[in-house]
Amino acid sequence: FAIDDVSAFNHEEEVLILPGNLFTVTKIEANPVEELVNVYLRQVKVPVSFWKKLKQTFRASQKPVL
């Protein structure tokens, strides 16, 4: 989900990733001039049903944040 319009860091290209999605990091680029770090991800496909992901998402939303 694109969340840049509600983010405290709206100048950054943030994306919200729901729980239940797995990724591997394929590349990291640091740009010290602009103080930005780009992290490139590749989604790992795991055969999990939509309902199980929805259940995990709901459970994760109930847990306290640090």
Side-chain angles (χ1 to χ4, degrees), residues 40-55:
Y40 297 87
L41 306 173
R42 176 173 290 131
Q43 187 176 17
V44 176
K45 302 288 184 178
V46 178
V48 178
S49 76
F50 169 78
W51 296 110
K52 189 168 185 174
K53 280 188 179 184
L54 186 62
K55 183 179 171 183

Side-chain angles (χ1 to χ4, degrees), residues 18-21 48-63:
L18 294 176
N21 290 291
V48 178
S49 76
F50 169 78
W51 296 110
K52 189 168 185 174
K53 280 188 179 184
L54 186 62
K55 183 179 171 183
Q56 290 173 343
T57 302
F58 180 74
R59 270 197 193 143
S61 70
Q62 302 300 310
K63 292 182 180 179

Side-chain angles (χ1 to χ4, degrees), residues 26-48:
T26 59
K27 184 165 110 175
I28 299 174
E29 290 180 342
N31 183 337
V33 175
E34 296 181 23
E35 297 181 348
L36 292 176
V37 175
N38 290 321
V39 179
Y40 297 87
L41 306 173
R42 176 173 290 131
Q43 187 176 17
V44 176
K45 302 288 184 178
V46 178
V48 178

